[in-house]
Structures are given as C-alpha cells and as structure tokens.
C-alpha cells in the first residue's frame, strides 16, 4: 500500500532560532505547506537529553513556537505542537528502543560529538535520542522529513528501524489487516536547500550556532531591524572587496558567507550577486545586505516579539496542534500495541 505523503520535522527548543535555521530549514518548511500535509514539532523531550532547565525549557518552547509562526508556518494549515503533549512519541520510542540494536546506536556520530570525552557521564536519553526521533516521524507514518545534512544519519537509522519492525512483525502486520505486510513507510530525508550552511558572522569557518557565546556571531529570528543592521555592520570581513567570480572566495570564508546570505535572502544565485557587487568594497555591500536582511527578517523579529508577549495565545496554538497530532498518532500506536502484543482496553 503506498503511504499518503506526509511531512514531519522538528527543532529542539534550546535557545534562539537564527538565520541559519531560517534559511536552512524554515523557508523550506513554509513552502512544503502548500504541497503537503505537514506536521511541525517542537521536540521538547529531546531537549531534556542534554540537561535540565525547567524555566528555560518552557520559555524556549514558546519562543521557538513564536519563531515558527512568525516565519510563516500556518497553524491552521499545518499541525504545530510540542512533542511531550502527545504521549505516543514516548510510547513508540520505547518500542523502538527494543527494536534498534546497540551496535546501530554506537555508530551515531552526533552522540559521539555531544557526549564528548566523558561518555560515561552522558545521559541514557542522549544515547537513545535517535530512537525517539524515529518515533517522532513514524508515529505519523510520515514519508518526507526535511532536515539538514547533519541529520542524515539519524534518518537512515529511522529507515532501518522501520524496516526491522516490518520484517520482525510481518505475520502480525498481515494479521492486523495490512495486506502487503508493511506497517511503517521508509521516511525519505529532504535535504534542505543550497543555503543550508549559514556560517558564523565572526568566523566564516564555523556554522552559525545558537550555542556560540558571542551574540554578534548570529542573527536571531527575534532580533529587531536595528540589531540586525548592527550585526551585519560588525560582521568579520577581510581587506579585499567583493570578488567578481566564485573562485575569488578561495580562503575567504567570511566573504563567501555574506554573499551566500545575500543570495539566499533575495532568492538569486551567488553568481548574479557577484555580477552586481564584484569589485565593490565590503562597506557598500554590507549596506545592501543590511537592507535586504532588515526588510525580510525585521518583520519576522517584530512578529515573533508580538507573539512572545502573549504566552497564553501560544499555549493555545500548541494545545490545538497537540490534539490534532494525537488524533493521528493514537490509532497508529494502538496498532503497534496489537502488533507487538501489548494488551490495551
Ligand atoms: N534531531 C533533529 C535536529 O537536531 C531534531 C528532531 C527531533 C527531528 N526529532 C525529529 C527532525 C524528527 C526531524 C524529524 O535537528
């Protein structure tokens, strides 16, 4: 049986969303709303894997929801909710902990990076992060998952889990009435666009990141127009001006990053930006960049600020999204319980 196309994706509520999240993910998520049924999650349970901060988590969950909405996700069209309000994620995550093998998780590079040298001190949750992520996707039997390059390995694990579940329970799946014996789809990663890699404004060799101690290194989706303009003005550059050809970016990560951001924000190619600005000084280019950035992002920042001032309204959006998510996830989880032999009443 072919699966109904359905998009699922999520972000962790750990700090502010920034330009990298916007250009690398959110713009694509917004577009997909007009072609697909979309479910967009704030994965608050994943945020627990790296330590507890109850007030910070509540705040960040609302902030990320506000940024989603301000960036153009439509809570009527799409389902927008926080993971922990739909208990089926945790339930299916547990079943998947028993499907996935230790050897599979041992290969996850993100765990190795995040756990660092002291593996013994990492939480069990951090280790099991990818099985919960598989549950996020498969509890909706989602088929398309827009993610950054860094999540490809987790997506492959989700596919392996879906396949092993389908194989291990073939008989039960058939008995439950799925004539082709396939219960979970193989979710496809949709690796997000050319501007996926937005680098730090202070160091063009590092990704723009919410964990960078310098706020000048990133443009937050909640920054107002003045802040955005100031950060662009202070962005690191070099003594040479804008090159006329792409090969002029050699060894000049900062120049390449700023031109790439301009191209992504105006939706034109890097080549045509170079055609317009090649030979000019950074001061002139930065003025133009600040203009397009404040025009596009200043509005989003303003709208996010407005939404963040009304937490009750945000909580209402999340409650409504959670109810709609539950309506899809519950029957899937009921089938899973029947298939694996968990009694329910
Ligand atoms: N691991 C993802 C990230 O860090 C977040 C995430 C959690 C996710 N569950 C997901 C993304 C399900 C896509 C689908 O970016």
């Amino acid at each position: 049986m072919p699966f109904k196309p359905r998009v699922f994706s999520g972000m962790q509520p750990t700090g502010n969303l920034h330009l990298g999240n916007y250009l690398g993910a959110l713009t694509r998520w917004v577009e997909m709303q007009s072609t697909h049924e979309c479910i967009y999650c704030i994965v608050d349970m994943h945020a627990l894997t790296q330590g507890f901060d109850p007030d910070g988590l509540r705040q960040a969950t609302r902030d990320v929801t506000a940024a989603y909405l301000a960036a153009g996700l439509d809570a009527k069209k799409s389902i927008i909710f926080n993971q922990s309000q739909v208990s089926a994620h945790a339930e299916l995550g547990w079943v998947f902990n028993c499907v996935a093998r230790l050897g599979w998780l041992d290969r996850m590079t993100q765990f190795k990076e995040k756990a660092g040298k002291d593996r013994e001190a990492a939480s069990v949750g951090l280790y099991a992060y990818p099985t919960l992520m598989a549950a996020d996707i498969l509890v909706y039997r989602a088929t398309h998952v827009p993610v950054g390059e860094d999540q490809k390995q987790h997506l492959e694990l989700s596919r392996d889990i879906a396949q092993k579940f389908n194989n291990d329970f073939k008989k039960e799946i058939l008995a439950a009435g799925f004539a082709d014996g396939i219960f979970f789809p193989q979710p496809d990663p949709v690796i997000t666009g050319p501007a996926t890699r937005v680098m730090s404004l202070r160091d063009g060799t590092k990704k723009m990141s919410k964990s960078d101690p310098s706020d000048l290194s990133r443009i937050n989706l909640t920054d107002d127009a003045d802040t955005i303009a100031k950060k662009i003005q202070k962005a690191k550059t070099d003594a040479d001006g804008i090159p006329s050809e792409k090969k002029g970016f050699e060894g000049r990560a900062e120049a390449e990053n700023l031109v790439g951001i301009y191209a992504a924000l105006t939706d034109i190619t890097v080549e045509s930006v170079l055609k317009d600005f090649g030979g000019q000084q950074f001061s002139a280019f930065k003025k133009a960049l600040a203009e397009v950035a404040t025009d596009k992002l200043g509005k989003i920042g303003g709208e996010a600020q407005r939404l963040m001032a009304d937490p009750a309204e945000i909580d209402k959006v999340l409650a409504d999204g959670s109810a709609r998510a539950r309506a899809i996830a519950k029957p899937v989880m009921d089938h899973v319980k029947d298939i694996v032999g968990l009694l329910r009443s």
Side-chain angles (χ1 to χ4, degrees):
M1 180 196 65
F3 287 89
K4 183 171 166 234
R6 181 178 279 153
V7 169
F8 183 94
S9 199
M11 288 187 199
Q12 281 195 54
T14 43
N16 261 322
L17 296 193
H18 52 70
L19 182 64
N21 303 117
Y22 178 68
L23 292 175
L26 284 174
T27 52
R28 190 63 170 274
W29 293 15
V30 169
E31 278 169 24
M32 290 181 106
Q33 294 183 120
S34 48
T35 51
H36 289 78
E37 177 191 349
C38 298
I39 305 176
Y40 295 124
C41 190
I42 296 102
V43 290
D44 51 1
M45 293 198 295
H46 276 113
L48 298 179
T49 62
Q50 285 194 88
F52 298 114
D53 171 13
D55 288 336
L57 180 56
R58 267 185 286 273
Q59 181 70 45
T61 300
R62 292 191 179 115
D63 288 358
V64 171
T65 308
Y68 275 12
L69 297 170
L73 296 189
D74 180 342
K76 293 220 160 57
K77 242 195 241 165
S78 303
I79 295 179
I80 297 172
F81 76 108
N82 59 312
Q83 185 187 32
S84 61
Q85 292 208 57
V86 182
S87 57
H89 290 244
E91 295 177 45
L92 187 59
W94 181 257
V95 173
F96 284 173
N97 278 342
C98 303
V99 172
R101 307 289 91 185
L102 276 178
W104 299 3
L105 289 175
D106 278 337
R107 286 195 286 274
M108 294 296 115
T109 56
Q110 185 171 297
F111 174 76
K112 289 180 203 163
E113 268 163 34
K114 289 200 174 168
K117 286 189 297 283
D118 198 359
R119 186 181 189 277
E120 300 292 304
S123 74
V124 176
L126 186 65
Y127 190 72
Y129 181 115
T131 56
L132 179 59
M133 178 164 163
D136 296 340
I137 299 163
L138 293 170
V139 83
Y140 302 100
R141 302 164 102 204
T143 54
H144 295 79
V145 185
V147 282
E149 192 69 35
D150 64 329
Q151 294 299 309
K152 243 170 128 173
Q153 193 184 35
H154 286 161
L155 245 286
E156 265 153 36
L157 187 91
S158 300
R159 295 168 64 90
D160 290 344
I161 288 174
Q163 182 155 29
K164 183 162 160 56
F165 184 95
N166 289 340
N167 287 343
D168 288 357
F169 296 104
K170 182 125 217 161
K171 191 165 59 84
E172 290 80 4
I173 292 169
L174 285 166
F178 297 87
D180 55 7
I182 294 172
F183 185 71
F184 286 121
Q186 295 271 296
D188 282 318
V190 180
I191 301 298
T192 37
T196 312
R197 286 181 74 74
V198 176
M199 312 306 279
S200 156
L201 298 180
R202 307 300 299 166
D203 176 354
T205 63
K206 281 200 319 214
K207 245 170 93 164
M208 188 174 282
S209 157
K210 51 190 162 196
S211 54
D212 193 312
S214 166
D215 196 54
L216 285 175
S217 72
R218 68 186 154 259
I219 295 174
N220 300 306
L221 284 189
T222 48
D223 284 345
D224 59 23
D226 288 346
T227 311
I228 295 169
K230 188 186 86 193
K231 285 179 175 176
I232 288 174
Q233 218 212 323
K234 295 203 165 171
K236 189 176 167 206
T237 52
D238 53 41
D240 300 324
I242 307 294
S244 307
E245 288 177 73
K246 263 179 150 177
K247 65 175 193 285
F249 284 137
E250 192 96 26
R252 303 178 62 204
E254 284 81 16
E256 181 167 15
N257 185 39
L258 293 180
V259 171
I261 290 172
Y262 187 99
L265 282 173
T266 52
D267 212 9
I268 59 177
T269 63
V270 167
E271 283 84 354
S272 62
V273 181
L274 295 183
K275 219 158 110 207
D276 291 346
F277 290 95
Q280 293 197 25
Q281 294 305 308
F282 274 108
S283 51
F285 177 71
K286 278 181 166 181
K287 237 188 227 142
L289 178 59
E291 223 163 88
V292 299
T294 53
D295 183 48
K296 196 133 194 190
L297 303 170
K299 268 187 237 131
I300 295 177
E303 175 64 4
Q305 300 276 0
R306 190 189 68 75
L307 290 162
M308 282 177 344
D310 190 356
E313 189 57 35
I314 299 222
D315 291 359
K316 239 165 64 191
V317 168
L318 293 174
D320 173 67
S322 299
R324 287 155 63 204
R326 245 177 256 129
I328 303 173
K330 171 78 164 60
V332 174
M333 196 58 217
D334 283 350
H335 279 308
V336 169
K337 287 183 177 174
D338 295 345
I339 288 168
V340 306
L342 296 170
L343 284 179
R344 61 191 177 89
S345 45

